Amino acid sequence: MPFPYKKMTEEDFDAIRAITAPARVKVGAEIEREYYHDEMPEYGVFAPELFVEVLDKEEVSGIMKYAYDQNIPVVVRGAGTGLAGGANCKYGGIMMSVMKMNKLVCLDKANMTITAQPGMLLTDVAAAAAAEGLFYPPDPGERTASIGGNVITNAGGMRAVRYGLTRDFVRCIEAVLPDGAVVQFSSNVVKNTTGYDIKDLVIGSEGTLCVLTEVTLKLMPMPKFTRTLVMPYGDLASCIDLVPELLKLSAVPTAIEFLERELIDIVERNLHKMLPVKEGEAVLIVMYDAGSEQELVNACDEAAEAALASGALDVYVADTPERIASIWSVRGAILEGMKAESIAQEECDVVVPRSRIAEYVRIAKAIGQKYNIRVEPCGHAGDGNIHTEMLRGEGMSDEDWLNGTRACLQELYATSKAFGGQLSGEHGIGNGRLEYLKPFVGERMYKLYQSIKLAFDEKLILNPGKILVFDE
Protein backbone atom coordinates (compact mmCIF):
# COMPACT_ATOMS: atom_id res chain seq x y z
CA MET A 1 0.00 0.00 0.00
CA PRO A 2 2.22 2.85 -1.22
CA PHE A 3 -0.26 5.59 -0.35
CA PRO A 4 -1.60 6.18 3.19
CA TYR A 5 -5.38 6.02 2.96
CA LYS A 6 -7.43 8.58 4.83
CA LYS A 7 -9.37 7.41 7.86
CA MET A 8 -12.92 8.62 7.32
CA THR A 9 -14.38 11.38 9.49
CA GLU A 10 -17.90 12.68 10.16
CA GLU A 11 -17.25 15.23 7.44
CA ASP A 12 -16.63 12.41 4.96
CA PHE A 13 -19.74 10.54 6.09
CA ASP A 14 -21.84 13.67 5.58
CA ALA A 15 -20.32 14.24 2.14
CA ILE A 16 -21.40 10.74 0.99
CA ARG A 17 -24.87 11.26 2.48
CA ALA A 18 -25.14 14.47 0.46
CA ILE A 19 -24.15 12.70 -2.76
CA THR A 20 -26.69 9.89 -2.19
CA ALA A 21 -29.25 9.97 0.64
CA PRO A 22 -28.90 9.50 4.41
CA ALA A 23 -31.27 6.50 4.36
CA ARG A 24 -28.89 4.60 2.06
CA VAL A 25 -25.77 5.20 4.12
CA LYS A 26 -24.64 3.19 7.14
CA VAL A 27 -21.61 3.90 9.29
CA GLY A 28 -19.57 1.84 11.72
CA ALA A 29 -21.68 -0.45 13.92
CA GLU A 30 -24.74 0.15 11.72
CA ILE A 31 -23.17 -1.98 8.97
CA GLU A 32 -24.27 -5.64 9.01
CA ARG A 33 -21.44 -8.17 9.30
CA GLU A 34 -22.61 -9.96 6.15
CA TYR A 35 -21.02 -7.09 4.21
CA TYR A 36 -17.60 -7.78 5.70
CA HIS A 37 -16.90 -10.78 3.42
CA ASP A 38 -18.00 -12.73 0.36
CA GLU A 39 -18.88 -16.47 0.20
CA MET A 40 -15.36 -17.36 1.36
CA PRO A 41 -14.87 -15.66 4.74
CA GLU A 42 -11.73 -17.81 5.05
CA TYR A 43 -10.16 -15.33 2.62
CA GLY A 44 -10.74 -12.31 4.82
CA VAL A 45 -13.36 -10.58 6.95
CA PHE A 46 -12.81 -6.82 6.81
CA ALA A 47 -15.20 -4.07 7.87
CA PRO A 48 -15.86 -0.93 5.84
CA GLU A 49 -16.06 2.41 7.58
CA LEU A 50 -19.09 3.35 5.50
CA PHE A 51 -21.61 1.31 3.49
CA VAL A 52 -23.63 3.03 0.78
CA GLU A 53 -26.24 1.84 -1.72
CA VAL A 54 -26.11 3.71 -5.02
CA LEU A 55 -28.95 4.20 -7.51
CA ASP A 56 -27.30 5.50 -10.69
CA LYS A 57 -24.04 6.34 -12.42
CA GLU A 58 -24.19 9.94 -11.21
CA GLU A 59 -24.01 8.78 -7.61
CA VAL A 60 -21.23 6.33 -8.44
CA SER A 61 -19.31 9.10 -10.18
CA GLY A 62 -19.81 11.51 -7.31
CA ILE A 63 -18.62 9.02 -4.70
CA MET A 64 -15.58 8.01 -6.74
CA LYS A 65 -14.57 11.62 -7.36
CA TYR A 66 -14.85 12.40 -3.65
CA ALA A 67 -12.95 9.26 -2.66
CA TYR A 68 -10.26 10.04 -5.24
CA ASP A 69 -9.80 13.58 -3.98
CA GLN A 70 -9.74 12.46 -0.33
CA ASN A 71 -7.68 9.30 -0.87
CA ILE A 72 -10.33 6.96 0.53
CA PRO A 73 -10.40 3.32 -0.63
CA VAL A 74 -13.60 2.03 -2.27
CA VAL A 75 -14.79 -1.55 -2.73
CA VAL A 76 -17.75 -2.23 -5.01
CA ARG A 77 -20.08 -5.06 -3.98
CA GLY A 78 -22.72 -6.90 -5.96
CA ALA A 79 -24.52 -9.92 -4.52
CA GLY A 80 -21.41 -11.02 -2.60
CA THR A 81 -21.35 -14.53 -4.09
CA GLY A 82 -17.67 -14.46 -5.05
CA LEU A 83 -15.28 -17.21 -3.97
CA ALA A 84 -11.95 -15.36 -3.89
CA GLY A 85 -12.26 -12.92 -0.98
CA GLY A 86 -12.73 -10.05 -3.40
CA ALA A 87 -15.72 -8.16 -1.95
CA ASN A 88 -14.38 -6.98 1.40
CA CYS A 89 -12.78 -3.78 2.62
CA LYS A 90 -9.22 -4.80 3.38
CA TYR A 91 -8.23 -1.22 4.21
CA GLY A 92 -11.55 0.10 5.52
CA GLY A 93 -13.03 3.00 3.60
CA ILE A 94 -16.23 2.82 1.53
CA MET A 95 -18.18 -0.23 0.49
CA MET A 96 -20.41 0.71 -2.42
CA SER A 97 -23.32 -1.65 -3.12
CA VAL A 98 -24.73 -1.58 -6.66
CA MET A 99 -27.60 -3.99 -5.88
CA LYS A 100 -30.22 -1.22 -6.12
CA MET A 101 -28.93 -0.51 -9.65
CA ASN A 102 -30.89 -3.52 -10.88
CA LYS A 103 -32.95 -2.28 -13.81
CA LEU A 104 -33.31 -3.75 -17.28
CA VAL A 105 -32.27 -0.80 -19.43
CA CYS A 106 -33.11 -2.21 -22.86
CA LEU A 107 -33.75 -5.47 -24.68
CA ASP A 108 -32.85 -4.91 -28.33
CA LYS A 109 -34.39 -7.73 -30.36
CA ALA A 110 -33.06 -6.35 -33.64
CA ASN A 111 -29.46 -6.48 -32.41
CA MET A 112 -30.18 -9.45 -30.10
CA THR A 113 -28.71 -7.75 -27.03
CA ILE A 114 -29.82 -6.94 -23.52
CA THR A 115 -28.57 -3.95 -21.54
CA ALA A 116 -28.73 -4.12 -17.76
CA GLN A 117 -27.52 -2.28 -14.70
CA PRO A 118 -24.89 -4.18 -12.69
CA GLY A 119 -27.16 -5.15 -9.78
CA MET A 120 -29.62 -7.07 -11.94
CA LEU A 121 -29.45 -10.76 -11.04
CA LEU A 122 -28.16 -13.28 -13.54
CA THR A 123 -31.41 -15.23 -13.22
CA ASP A 124 -33.42 -12.09 -14.07
CA VAL A 125 -31.26 -11.34 -17.11
CA ALA A 126 -31.81 -14.90 -18.37
CA ALA A 127 -35.56 -14.69 -17.67
CA ALA A 128 -35.93 -11.35 -19.47
CA ALA A 129 -34.20 -12.82 -22.53
CA ALA A 130 -36.31 -16.01 -22.38
CA ALA A 131 -39.51 -13.96 -22.25
CA GLU A 132 -38.63 -12.72 -25.74
CA GLY A 133 -37.65 -16.18 -27.00
CA LEU A 134 -33.94 -15.41 -26.62
CA PHE A 135 -31.15 -17.03 -24.65
CA TYR A 136 -28.34 -15.76 -22.43
CA PRO A 137 -26.09 -18.86 -22.18
CA PRO A 138 -23.50 -18.16 -19.43
CA ASP A 139 -24.50 -20.12 -16.34
CA PRO A 140 -21.84 -19.94 -13.60
CA GLY A 141 -24.01 -21.94 -11.20
CA GLU A 142 -24.86 -19.24 -8.66
CA ARG A 143 -28.10 -17.91 -10.12
CA THR A 144 -28.42 -15.21 -7.45
CA ALA A 145 -25.17 -13.56 -8.55
CA SER A 146 -25.38 -10.06 -9.99
CA ILE A 147 -24.66 -9.62 -13.68
CA GLY A 148 -22.06 -6.94 -12.89
CA GLY A 149 -20.27 -9.40 -10.63
CA ASN A 150 -20.37 -12.02 -13.38
CA VAL A 151 -18.80 -9.61 -15.86
CA ILE A 152 -16.15 -8.19 -13.55
CA THR A 153 -15.02 -11.73 -12.64
CA ASN A 154 -15.54 -13.22 -16.12
CA ALA A 155 -17.67 -15.94 -14.57
CA GLY A 156 -17.50 -19.28 -16.38
CA GLY A 157 -19.79 -22.18 -15.59
CA MET A 158 -20.78 -25.45 -17.18
CA ARG A 159 -22.07 -24.18 -20.54
CA ALA A 160 -18.66 -22.76 -21.47
CA VAL A 161 -17.89 -25.84 -23.58
CA ARG A 162 -20.32 -24.83 -26.32
CA TYR A 163 -21.06 -21.18 -25.71
CA GLY A 164 -17.98 -19.72 -24.05
CA LEU A 165 -17.48 -17.53 -20.99
CA THR A 166 -19.17 -14.33 -19.89
CA ARG A 167 -16.46 -12.40 -21.79
CA ASP A 168 -17.75 -13.87 -25.07
CA PHE A 169 -21.15 -12.25 -24.52
CA VAL A 170 -20.21 -8.71 -23.48
CA ARG A 171 -20.72 -6.17 -26.25
CA CYS A 172 -20.01 -2.98 -24.35
CA ILE A 173 -19.61 -1.56 -20.87
CA GLU A 174 -20.40 1.78 -19.29
CA ALA A 175 -18.17 2.39 -16.29
CA VAL A 176 -16.85 4.97 -13.84
CA LEU A 177 -13.09 5.35 -13.44
CA PRO A 178 -11.46 5.84 -10.02
CA ASP A 179 -11.39 9.63 -10.52
CA GLY A 180 -15.14 9.74 -11.22
CA ALA A 181 -15.00 10.00 -15.02
CA VAL A 182 -17.79 8.13 -16.85
CA VAL A 183 -16.52 6.16 -19.85
CA GLN A 184 -17.83 3.75 -22.49
CA PHE A 185 -15.83 0.69 -23.49
CA SER A 186 -16.80 -0.32 -27.05
CA SER A 187 -20.43 -0.07 -28.28
CA ASN A 188 -23.27 -2.29 -29.41
CA VAL A 189 -21.51 -3.52 -32.53
CA VAL A 190 -20.27 -6.93 -33.59
CA LYS A 191 -16.80 -5.84 -34.75
CA ASN A 192 -14.45 -3.28 -33.28
CA THR A 193 -10.74 -2.68 -33.85
CA THR A 194 -10.87 0.95 -32.72
CA GLY A 195 -7.87 1.34 -30.43
CA TYR A 196 -6.98 -1.05 -27.62
CA ASP A 197 -9.67 -3.50 -26.55
CA ILE A 198 -10.07 -2.14 -23.02
CA LYS A 199 -13.47 -3.78 -22.68
CA ASP A 200 -11.93 -7.24 -22.58
CA LEU A 201 -9.29 -6.00 -20.14
CA VAL A 202 -11.96 -4.75 -17.76
CA ILE A 203 -13.87 -8.05 -17.91
CA GLY A 204 -12.36 -10.25 -15.21
CA SER A 205 -10.53 -7.38 -13.49
CA GLU A 206 -12.35 -8.10 -10.20
CA GLY A 207 -13.35 -4.53 -9.45
CA THR A 208 -9.79 -3.19 -9.39
CA LEU A 209 -9.90 -0.96 -12.50
CA CYS A 210 -13.32 0.68 -12.69
CA VAL A 211 -16.96 0.49 -11.53
CA LEU A 212 -19.46 -1.03 -13.96
CA THR A 213 -22.69 0.96 -14.23
CA GLU A 214 -24.22 -0.65 -17.32
CA VAL A 215 -23.44 -3.69 -19.45
CA THR A 216 -24.75 -4.77 -22.86
CA LEU A 217 -24.79 -8.51 -23.49
CA LYS A 218 -25.17 -10.57 -26.64
CA LEU A 219 -28.16 -12.94 -26.83
CA MET A 220 -28.81 -16.05 -28.92
CA PRO A 221 -31.89 -17.86 -30.19
CA MET A 222 -33.34 -20.07 -27.46
CA PRO A 223 -32.54 -23.76 -28.03
CA LYS A 224 -35.82 -25.61 -28.38
CA PHE A 225 -34.67 -29.05 -27.22
CA THR A 226 -32.27 -30.30 -24.60
CA ARG A 227 -31.19 -33.63 -23.11
CA THR A 228 -28.65 -34.79 -20.56
CA LEU A 229 -26.72 -38.06 -20.64
CA VAL A 230 -25.13 -39.79 -17.64
CA MET A 231 -22.30 -42.16 -18.52
CA PRO A 232 -20.80 -44.32 -15.72
CA TYR A 233 -17.29 -45.77 -16.05
CA GLY A 234 -15.23 -48.20 -14.05
CA ASP A 235 -12.44 -45.64 -13.58
CA LEU A 236 -11.81 -41.91 -14.02
CA ALA A 237 -9.16 -42.25 -16.73
CA SER A 238 -11.55 -44.07 -19.09
CA CYS A 239 -14.24 -41.53 -18.27
CA ILE A 240 -12.02 -38.55 -19.13
CA ASP A 241 -10.70 -40.26 -22.27
CA LEU A 242 -14.17 -39.90 -23.78
CA VAL A 243 -14.07 -36.09 -23.60
CA PRO A 244 -11.85 -35.43 -26.66
CA GLU A 245 -13.85 -38.03 -28.60
CA LEU A 246 -17.11 -36.24 -27.80
CA LEU A 247 -15.62 -32.95 -28.97
CA LYS A 248 -14.76 -34.50 -32.35
CA LEU A 249 -18.38 -35.47 -33.03
CA SER A 250 -20.69 -33.49 -35.29
CA ALA A 251 -22.59 -31.85 -32.41
CA VAL A 252 -20.78 -29.79 -29.77
CA PRO A 253 -21.93 -30.61 -26.22
CA THR A 254 -23.31 -27.76 -24.14
CA ALA A 255 -21.66 -29.06 -20.96
CA ILE A 256 -19.39 -31.94 -19.92
CA GLU A 257 -18.90 -32.56 -16.20
CA PHE A 258 -17.16 -35.34 -14.30
CA LEU A 259 -17.81 -36.69 -10.82
CA GLU A 260 -16.13 -39.50 -8.95
CA ARG A 261 -18.18 -41.95 -6.89
CA GLU A 262 -16.90 -40.54 -3.60
CA LEU A 263 -18.44 -37.12 -4.35
CA ILE A 264 -21.69 -38.65 -5.58
CA ASP A 265 -21.91 -40.55 -2.30
CA ILE A 266 -21.20 -37.36 -0.30
CA VAL A 267 -24.17 -35.61 -1.92
CA GLU A 268 -26.47 -38.60 -1.47
CA ARG A 269 -25.40 -39.12 2.14
CA ASN A 270 -25.76 -35.49 3.22
CA LEU A 271 -28.37 -33.98 0.91
CA HIS A 272 -30.29 -37.07 -0.30
CA LYS A 273 -29.85 -36.15 -3.95
CA MET A 274 -29.11 -39.13 -6.19
CA LEU A 275 -27.98 -39.81 -9.73
CA PRO A 276 -30.02 -42.38 -11.68
CA VAL A 277 -26.99 -44.69 -12.00
CA LYS A 278 -25.40 -46.63 -9.15
CA GLU A 279 -22.57 -48.40 -10.95
CA GLY A 280 -19.15 -47.06 -11.80
CA GLU A 281 -16.36 -45.23 -9.99
CA ALA A 282 -16.73 -42.11 -12.14
CA VAL A 283 -19.45 -40.59 -14.28
CA LEU A 284 -19.53 -38.13 -17.15
CA ILE A 285 -22.58 -35.86 -17.33
CA VAL A 286 -23.12 -34.46 -20.82
CA MET A 287 -25.73 -31.95 -21.98
CA TYR A 288 -26.84 -31.30 -25.56
CA ASP A 289 -28.97 -28.44 -26.91
CA ALA A 290 -30.51 -28.42 -30.38
CA GLY A 291 -32.88 -26.49 -32.60
CA SER A 292 -34.85 -29.59 -33.66
CA GLU A 293 -35.76 -32.88 -32.02
CA GLN A 294 -34.09 -34.90 -34.77
CA GLU A 295 -30.87 -32.92 -34.40
CA LEU A 296 -30.94 -33.63 -30.66
CA VAL A 297 -31.64 -37.35 -31.12
CA ASN A 298 -28.78 -37.64 -33.58
CA ALA A 299 -26.38 -35.86 -31.22
CA CYS A 300 -27.32 -38.03 -28.24
CA ASP A 301 -27.23 -41.27 -30.23
CA GLU A 302 -23.79 -40.43 -31.59
CA ALA A 303 -22.50 -39.60 -28.10
CA ALA A 304 -24.00 -42.75 -26.59
CA GLU A 305 -22.39 -44.92 -29.24
CA ALA A 306 -19.00 -43.30 -28.59
CA ALA A 307 -19.42 -43.77 -24.83
CA LEU A 308 -20.31 -47.45 -25.05
CA ALA A 309 -17.49 -48.08 -27.52
CA SER A 310 -15.02 -46.49 -25.06
CA GLY A 311 -16.07 -48.68 -22.15
CA ALA A 312 -19.02 -46.88 -20.54
CA LEU A 313 -21.00 -49.25 -18.35
CA ASP A 314 -24.29 -47.70 -19.46
CA VAL A 315 -25.78 -44.51 -20.86
CA TYR A 316 -28.75 -42.98 -19.06
CA VAL A 317 -30.78 -40.44 -21.03
CA ALA A 318 -32.74 -37.70 -19.23
CA ASP A 319 -35.28 -36.26 -21.65
CA THR A 320 -37.77 -34.45 -19.40
CA PRO A 321 -37.23 -31.18 -17.51
CA GLU A 322 -37.71 -32.98 -14.20
CA ARG A 323 -35.13 -35.69 -14.89
CA ILE A 324 -32.65 -33.20 -16.30
CA ALA A 325 -33.06 -30.93 -13.26
CA SER A 326 -32.60 -33.89 -10.92
CA ILE A 327 -29.25 -34.80 -12.50
CA TRP A 328 -27.87 -31.29 -12.49
CA SER A 329 -29.06 -30.75 -8.91
CA VAL A 330 -26.55 -33.42 -7.86
CA ARG A 331 -23.73 -31.60 -9.65
CA GLY A 332 -24.86 -28.29 -8.17
CA ALA A 333 -24.93 -29.69 -4.63
CA ILE A 334 -21.28 -30.77 -4.50
CA LEU A 335 -20.01 -27.78 -2.50
CA GLU A 336 -22.95 -27.90 -0.10
CA GLY A 337 -22.42 -31.62 0.39
CA MET A 338 -18.74 -31.15 1.15
CA LYS A 339 -19.52 -28.36 3.63
CA ALA A 340 -21.87 -30.75 5.44
CA GLU A 341 -19.07 -33.30 5.72
CA SER A 342 -16.25 -31.04 6.90
CA ILE A 343 -15.69 -28.21 9.34
CA ALA A 344 -13.77 -26.03 6.87
CA GLN A 345 -12.89 -25.98 3.18
CA GLU A 346 -10.14 -24.64 0.95
CA GLU A 347 -10.32 -24.67 -2.81
CA CYS A 348 -8.42 -24.00 -5.99
CA ASP A 349 -9.95 -23.93 -9.46
CA VAL A 350 -7.00 -24.62 -11.72
CA VAL A 351 -7.30 -25.20 -15.46
CA VAL A 352 -5.31 -27.91 -17.23
CA PRO A 353 -5.41 -29.25 -20.79
CA ARG A 354 -8.33 -31.66 -21.07
CA SER A 355 -5.99 -34.53 -21.88
CA ARG A 356 -4.29 -34.11 -18.46
CA ILE A 357 -7.42 -34.09 -16.26
CA ALA A 358 -7.20 -37.70 -15.07
CA GLU A 359 -3.47 -37.33 -14.39
CA TYR A 360 -4.03 -34.09 -12.48
CA VAL A 361 -6.75 -35.71 -10.34
CA ARG A 362 -4.47 -38.63 -9.47
CA ILE A 363 -1.62 -36.27 -8.52
CA ALA A 364 -3.97 -33.98 -6.56
CA LYS A 365 -5.17 -36.86 -4.40
CA ALA A 366 -1.59 -38.00 -3.81
CA ILE A 367 -0.66 -34.45 -2.75
CA GLY A 368 -3.56 -34.48 -0.28
CA GLN A 369 -2.45 -37.79 1.22
CA LYS A 370 1.08 -36.44 1.54
CA TYR A 371 -0.13 -33.60 3.78
CA ASN A 372 -2.99 -35.48 5.46
CA ILE A 373 -5.59 -33.30 3.70
CA ARG A 374 -8.71 -34.81 2.15
CA VAL A 375 -8.75 -33.67 -1.50
CA GLU A 376 -11.87 -34.02 -3.68
CA PRO A 377 -11.51 -32.84 -7.32
CA CYS A 378 -14.52 -32.36 -9.59
CA GLY A 379 -15.55 -30.07 -12.36
CA HIS A 380 -15.70 -29.05 -15.95
CA ALA A 381 -14.25 -31.88 -18.01
CA GLY A 382 -15.17 -30.04 -21.20
CA ASP A 383 -12.82 -27.13 -20.54
CA GLY A 384 -10.32 -28.58 -18.06
CA ASN A 385 -11.38 -26.31 -15.16
CA ILE A 386 -11.05 -28.53 -12.07
CA HIS A 387 -12.38 -27.49 -8.69
CA THR A 388 -9.99 -29.10 -6.24
CA GLU A 389 -11.66 -29.02 -2.84
CA MET A 390 -9.75 -29.59 0.40
CA LEU A 391 -11.83 -30.68 3.39
CA ARG A 392 -10.92 -30.27 7.04
CA GLY A 393 -11.91 -33.14 9.28
CA GLU A 394 -12.63 -33.25 12.99
CA GLY A 395 -9.60 -33.15 15.26
CA MET A 396 -7.24 -31.35 12.88
CA SER A 397 -5.51 -28.42 14.54
CA ASP A 398 -5.61 -24.93 13.06
CA GLU A 399 -1.86 -25.06 12.49
CA ASP A 400 -1.98 -28.43 10.69
CA TRP A 401 -4.90 -27.27 8.52
CA LEU A 402 -3.25 -23.98 7.56
CA ASN A 403 0.16 -25.49 6.87
CA GLY A 404 -1.32 -28.50 5.07
CA THR A 405 -3.56 -26.50 2.75
CA ARG A 406 -0.81 -24.00 1.91
CA ALA A 407 1.55 -26.84 1.04
CA CYS A 408 -1.16 -28.53 -1.04
CA LEU A 409 -1.95 -25.33 -2.92
CA GLN A 410 1.67 -24.68 -3.78
CA GLU A 411 2.03 -28.17 -5.25
CA LEU A 412 -1.35 -28.11 -7.00
CA TYR A 413 -0.53 -24.81 -8.70
CA ALA A 414 2.91 -26.09 -9.64
CA THR A 415 1.30 -29.17 -11.18
CA SER A 416 -1.11 -27.04 -13.17
CA LYS A 417 1.72 -24.83 -14.42
CA ALA A 418 3.82 -27.86 -15.39
CA PHE A 419 0.87 -29.17 -17.41
CA GLY A 420 0.54 -25.86 -19.27
CA GLY A 421 -2.50 -24.82 -17.23
CA GLN A 422 -3.55 -21.72 -15.33
CA LEU A 423 -3.95 -20.78 -11.69
CA SER A 424 -7.67 -19.94 -11.85
CA GLY A 425 -10.36 -20.72 -14.39
CA GLU A 426 -13.30 -18.76 -13.05
CA HIS A 427 -13.07 -17.77 -9.37
CA GLY A 428 -10.26 -15.26 -9.80
CA ILE A 429 -7.45 -14.10 -7.52
CA GLY A 430 -9.08 -11.66 -5.09
CA ASN A 431 -7.49 -11.80 -1.66
CA GLY A 432 -7.51 -15.58 -1.31
CA ARG A 433 -4.95 -16.40 -4.02
CA LEU A 434 -2.92 -13.22 -3.75
CA GLU A 435 0.36 -14.86 -2.73
CA TYR A 436 0.26 -17.45 -5.51
CA LEU A 437 -0.11 -15.19 -8.57
CA LYS A 438 3.40 -13.73 -8.82
CA PRO A 439 5.22 -17.09 -8.56
CA PHE A 440 2.83 -18.51 -11.14
CA VAL A 441 3.03 -15.79 -13.83
CA GLY A 442 6.58 -14.57 -13.19
CA GLU A 443 8.16 -11.21 -12.36
CA ARG A 444 7.81 -9.57 -15.79
CA MET A 445 4.14 -10.41 -16.23
CA TYR A 446 3.37 -9.34 -12.66
CA LYS A 447 4.95 -5.93 -13.31
CA LEU A 448 2.83 -5.62 -16.44
CA TYR A 449 -0.28 -6.29 -14.35
CA GLN A 450 0.84 -3.61 -11.89
CA SER A 451 1.35 -1.14 -14.75
CA ILE A 452 -2.19 -1.75 -15.97
CA LYS A 453 -3.59 -1.18 -12.48
CA LEU A 454 -1.67 2.08 -12.14
CA ALA A 455 -2.81 3.30 -15.57
CA PHE A 456 -6.41 3.10 -14.36
CA ASP A 457 -5.92 3.83 -10.67
CA GLU A 458 -2.66 5.52 -9.79
CA LYS A 459 -3.87 6.16 -6.22
CA LEU A 460 -4.77 2.49 -5.72
CA ILE A 461 -8.12 3.37 -4.15
CA LEU A 462 -10.34 0.87 -6.02
CA ASN A 463 -10.56 -2.54 -4.33
CA PRO A 464 -6.99 -2.23 -3.03
CA GLY A 465 -5.02 -5.28 -1.97
CA LYS A 466 -6.83 -7.62 -4.39
CA ILE A 467 -5.17 -9.49 -7.29
CA LEU A 468 -1.94 -7.51 -6.87
CA VAL A 469 0.37 -6.46 -4.04
CA PHE A 470 2.35 -3.22 -4.17
CA ASP A 471 5.33 -2.56 -1.92
CA GLU A 472 4.56 -0.76 1.30
Side-chain angles (χ1 to χ4, degrees):
M1 188 176 65
F3 301 98
Y5 295 120
K6 178 183 181 183
K7 182 172 176 56
M8 297 186 75
T9 64
E10 283 297 329
E11 182 180 356
D12 298 318
F13 300 153
D14 288 340
I16 302 302
R17 292 185 184 107
I19 293 169
T20 56
R24 290 186 274 115
V25 174
K26 296 180 180 181
V27 173
E30 300 172 344
I31 307 169
E32 291 89 342
R33 286 189 63 83
E34 67 181 278
Y35 297 121
Y36 291 11
H37 60 82
D38 62 8
E39 285 295 316
M40 286 296 288
E42 294 87 348
Y43 295 155
V45 177
F46 304 105
E49 296 168 72
L50 177 146
F51 174 84
V52 57
E53 296 174 303
V54 290
L55 300 183
D56 53 41
K57 65 182 176 185
E58 287 77 20
E59 290 187 350
V60 174
S61 175
I63 291 170
M64 290 310 307
K65 186 177 188 309
Y66 184 85
Y68 182 85
D69 291 341
Q70 298 296 320
N71 216 42
I72 299 169
V74 180
V75 173
V76 181
R77 185 182 176 93
T81 61
L83 296 168
N88 55 55
C89 292
K90 198 169 176 179
Y91 299 106
I94 298 169
M95 172 164 280
M96 184 194 306
S97 170
V98 296
M99 291 307 289
K100 287 188 181 296
M101 292 180 64
N102 57 9
K103 296 181 177 60
L104 170 63
V105 177
C106 172
L107 197 151
D108 184 346
K109 292 185 73 173
N111 280 309
M112 293 183 68
T113 58
I114 186 169
T115 301
Q117 291 183 320
M120 191 172 182
L121 298 185
L122 168 64
T123 187
D124 293 333
V125 170
E132 298 294 333
L134 297 171
F135 182 41
Y136 180 65
D139 183 16
E142 180 51 76
R143 305 292 288 173
T144 61
S146 64
I147 195 64
N150 277 186
V151 170
I152 212 66
T153 59
N154 190 29
M158 292 177 280
R159 292 178 181 157
V161 182
R162 176 168 182 170
Y163 297 111
L165 306 177
T166 297
R167 169 176 280 114
D168 300 306
F169 288 86
V170 178
R171 280 281 175 82
C172 56
I173 291 170
E174 178 189 83
V176 175
L177 296 177
D179 64 1
V182 180
V183 293
Q184 188 86 15
F185 300 124
S186 194
S187 59
N188 193 1
V189 294
V190 176
K191 291 181 177 180
N192 182 11
T193 57
T194 309
Y196 296 122
D197 193 347
I198 298 178
K199 168 180 69 70
D200 271 8
L201 184 61
V202 165
I203 299 166
S205 61
E206 302 183 42
T208 63
L209 302 183
C210 60
V211 183
L212 271 60
T213 54
E214 208 171 274
V215 58
T216 298
L217 307 162
K218 179 180 74 172
L219 301 177
M220 301 181 70
M222 177 68 75
K224 295 180 172 60
F225 301 92
T226 186
R227 282 186 185 172
T228 290
L229 311 179
V230 182
M231 305 161 172
Y233 280 82
D235 61 89
L236 180 62
S238 300
C239 180
I240 297 301
D241 282 346
L242 178 64
V243 175
E245 300 307 314
L246 290 177
L247 295 170
K248 294 175 186 175
L249 300 178
S250 55
V252 179
T254 298
I256 311 175
E257 300 287 305
F258 78 90
L259 294 176
E260 291 190 277
R261 176 57 55 185
E262 192 171 354
L263 280 179
I264 297 169
D265 290 344
I266 284 176
V267 173
E268 182 174 348
R269 186 163 56 242
N270 293 286
L271 302 174
H272 311 295
K273 296 176 182 286
M274 294 169 280
L275 284 178
V277 295
K278 296 298 182 184
E279 64 268 39
E281 291 304 308
V283 301
L284 211 60
I285 305 174
V286 184
M287 177 191 292
Y288 282 97
D289 294 335
S292 72
E293 187 168 9
Q294 189 58 54
E295 180 187 351
L296 183 66
V297 169
N298 292 343
C300 292
D301 286 350
E302 194 177 19
E305 288 175 12
L308 294 171
S310 71
L313 304 175
D314 196 1
V315 176
Y316 174 86
V317 181
D319 55 3
T320 68
E322 295 77 18
R323 290 172 179 168
I324 292 170
S326 175
I327 290 168
W328 288 104
S329 73
V330 174
R331 170 62 184 90
I334 293 296
L335 184 58
E336 187 180 352
M338 288 190 289
K339 284 183 175 181
E341 199 151 288
S342 59
I343 60 174
Q345 304 81 37
E346 176 61 270
E347 191 249 24
C348 69
D349 73 314
V350 299
V351 193
V352 300
R354 289 182 293 232
S355 62
R356 308 296 293 270
I357 291 175
E359 187 180 0
Y360 170 85
V361 170
R362 178 182 58 77
I363 292 173
K365 290 193 170 186
I367 291 170
Q369 290 175 351
K370 178 179 175 182
Y371 297 105
N372 198 30
I373 298 287
R374 183 179 177 184
V375 171
E376 296 288 355
C378 67
H380 312 314
D383 55 32
N385 186 195
I386 307 170
H387 298 285
T388 312
E389 309 289 344
M390 284 151 270
L391 309 183
R392 180 177 177 179
E394 297 285 348
M396 178 176 281
S397 70
D398 291 346
E399 184 179 5
D400 286 347
W401 170 248
L402 179 61
N403 292 337
T405 53
R406 284 172 62 89
C408 280
L409 287 169
Q410 287 171 351
E411 291 202 29
L412 291 168
Y413 291 138
T415 302
S416 172
K417 186 173 183 178
F419 284 1
Q422 290 293 327
L423 190 150
S424 175
E426 56 189 5
H427 293 170
I429 306 302
N431 190 55
R433 299 171 185 90
L434 201 59
E435 66 182 286
Y436 304 105
L437 181 61
K438 187 174 182 179
F440 194 95
V441 301
E443 182 79 28
R444 185 65 186 90
M445 185 62 70
Y446 198 80
K447 286 183 177 179
L448 182 59
Y449 290 163
Q450 290 177 318
S451 298
I452 292 168
K453 168 67 173 173
L454 291 170
F456 278 81
D457 182 16
E458 73 275 12
K459 288 190 172 184
L460 305 181
I461 64 166
L462 197 49
N463 207 5
K466 313 297 172 56
I467 302 184
L468 302 168
V469 176
F470 288 81
D471 294 334
E472 295 285 347

